[in-house]
Each structure stands twice: as structure tokens, then as C-alpha cells.
Amino acid sequence: MSTAPDLRVRVDALLTGIAVPYTRPGSRSGIAKHPRSGQVRITATGVDGDEQGDLRVHGGVDKAVHHYPFEHYATWRAQLGALPVLATPGAFGENVSSQGLDESMVCIGDRFAFGSAVLEVSQGRQPCWKLNDRFGVPDMARRVQESGRTGWYYRVPQSGVAEAGDTLRLLERPWPDWSLQRLNRLLFDRVLDPSALEPTLALPLVPSWRRLVERRLQLHTVEHWGPRIDGPDPDQAPRSREP
């Protein structure tokens, strides 16, 4: 196992949200997150008080906690303008907001201490259509995907408590050559080259990512992203939405 570098960042906000009816008929979402004060418990199923609207594709042990770098917000504001939703953390449905840590600096399998909890990087985010409606930008999910500014998920091998202001400290880095940026590019650049894909099967990929890689290797084709990125009926998406 590779020696972990001395990597520490301050968590500026720890956020949760409740699931409510969303923008399209029959949909629900907990994407609107709000900062929590004081100590909050973090377990294998996520941050206490946090909810997801569709447990088929959100939440669960491999998507227990979502981290989104706050420095990405400035880039989005430069591209999209000063949208109200980008004024404060929580726009992307993240539970953890920090500066000084991004997809190029985080590797699959990294373990971090956060308060008395331990968080393990499980996968990058595959953005969905709810971002389109959240931002009032019809192709927002596609923009997030193509930019690589996706954020990432943690599983929680050790439950504990943490709060905003605590340090996220790297404990272990078993796969130093496999940043999330590198994995994102394999996934979202539609790579089919077996020499690039086959090494990922040695990584601790979540089941859905492993199936994706195996299908590409077997079928020599890229999966269809339309339902995830565009949603069930993009014509029903509103043009703007308050945070």
C-alpha cells in the first residue's frame, strides 16, 4: 500500500436536505441542501437528517455522502452568470463543501478521517437531469459531466460524528495512480480501448461501474446516457428555479 500524502482540508459546510416533490410529475428530490450547525452523526447510510428522493439511484452505502468542491462554484458562475443557486454551498446536492480538494487530488479508495468518522471514496458522481431543473439550464447535467467537475461519493466504513470546521484528513491511499479525474475521463470520454479499461477491473469499483466497464469490453459500445442526463420528459423542465 502506498504511503498516504499529508493531505488535509477544512470542511466549510456539512449539509443535509429533505426529500420533497420536485419539478416533473411524480418526481421527488432532496437536492436542496442546507448547512447544519453542531455535531452531526454520519453512518453507513449517510448523514443524519439527509434524504434522497429516489433511492433506486441515489443514496445507499456506496453513495452515503456527497462531496462537491466549493472552488468549482466560481467557474460555474463565470460560465452561467450569478445564478442565485450558486450563491452558497448546497447547489449540487452536496453534503460536504470544502476548498483545496478536487477530482484531480482524490483517488478511488482514499480513506479520510472526518471528526470521529471515516469516509472512503467510492465513486465519482454521474450527474442526472435533476441538475438541469435545479439550475434552470437544460443541459446542466451534461455540462457537469463533460467538465469533469462532478464531485464524488463516500461510503462510511466507520460511523462517527463531525461538524463544519472539522478537518478532512487523508489516512490511506491504496490506488495513488487512479484519481477520480482519470476515471471520469475514461467514463465520460466514451473510451472503448481495452488497454485503458481493463486495468480498472482491479480497482474497488462499485457494482454499477464494474458492470459498465465489463459491458464496454464485451459489447465494444458506449451506454446510452439520455434518460439519466435528460430525464423522463425534458420538455417539462422549468426555465428557472430558486435555490
Side-chain angles (χ1 to χ4, degrees):
M1 179 174 296
S2 175
T3 301
D6 185 14
L7 182 57
R8 305 165 188 252
V9 297
R10 182 184 188 273
V11 171
D12 299 314
L14 184 59
L15 309 101
T16 60
I18 61 172
V20 297
Y22 202 51
T23 52
R24 308 190 194 188
S27 67
R28 292 176 62 82
S29 179
I31 195 171
K33 308 296 187 189
H34 304 283
R36 297 282 297 273
S37 60
Q39 290 193 329
V40 182
R41 186 157 182 80
I42 304 173
T43 71
T45 55
V47 183
D48 275 6
D50 194 43
E51 296 179 355
Q52 295 80 36
D54 187 351
L55 293 175
R56 297 171 305 164
V57 292
H58 299 116
V61 295
D62 289 325
K63 297 179 180 178
V65 178
H66 180 223
H67 190 152
Y68 198 80
F70 190 65
E71 53 261 59
H72 289 343
Y73 277 55
T75 305
W76 289 120
R77 285 193 294 269
Q79 294 179 358
L80 303 174
L83 299 179
V85 74
L86 286 169
T88 58
F92 293 84
E94 66 267 34
N95 302 114
V96 175
S97 178
S98 70
Q99 299 188 67
L101 194 66
D102 65 21
E103 295 81 0
S104 70
M105 303 167 65
V106 173
C107 298
I108 193 77
D110 279 0
R111 284 196 171 196
F112 290 89
F114 179 39
S116 59
V118 173
L119 310 181
E120 181 180 298
V121 177
S122 54
Q123 64 182 104
R125 181 181 186 170
Q126 292 177 270
C128 78
W129 63 269
K130 291 182 178 179
L131 287 175
N132 302 342
D133 294 9
R134 172 84 162 140
F135 284 81
V137 177
D139 63 344
M140 187 64 186
R142 193 173 297 275
R143 288 174 182 241
V144 170
Q145 176 169 293
E146 291 178 352
S147 72
R149 298 189 297 272
T150 62
W152 58 89
Y153 289 107
Y154 299 106
R155 59 175 66 92
V156 184
Q158 178 179 304
S159 299
V161 296
E163 61 184 313
D166 284 348
T167 296
L168 196 66
R169 178 173 60 87
L170 183 62
L171 299 174
E172 300 177 19
R173 172 160 287 174
W175 303 98
D177 296 330
W178 285 96
S179 70
L180 290 183
Q181 183 181 68
R182 181 181 180 186
L183 284 170
N184 277 347
R185 293 279 59 87
L186 284 178
L187 179 65
F188 300 136
D189 286 354
R190 309 175 76 88
V191 172
L192 292 173
D193 180 2
S195 68
L197 291 173
E198 287 175 353
T200 69
L201 296 177
L203 303 175
L205 300 178
V206 297
S208 61
W209 280 35
R210 184 169 297 278
R211 288 192 298 270
L212 183 152
V213 171
E214 290 173 343
R215 281 198 301 267
R216 286 192 186 182
L217 288 169
Q218 179 182 3
L219 302 176
H220 308 291
T221 187
V222 176
E223 58 283 349
H224 179 50
W225 297 329
R228 168 172 60 84
I229 289 181
D230 299 321
D233 186 353
D235 291 336
Q236 296 182 24
R239 286 295 176 182
S240 64
R241 182 173 177 84
E242 290 301 311

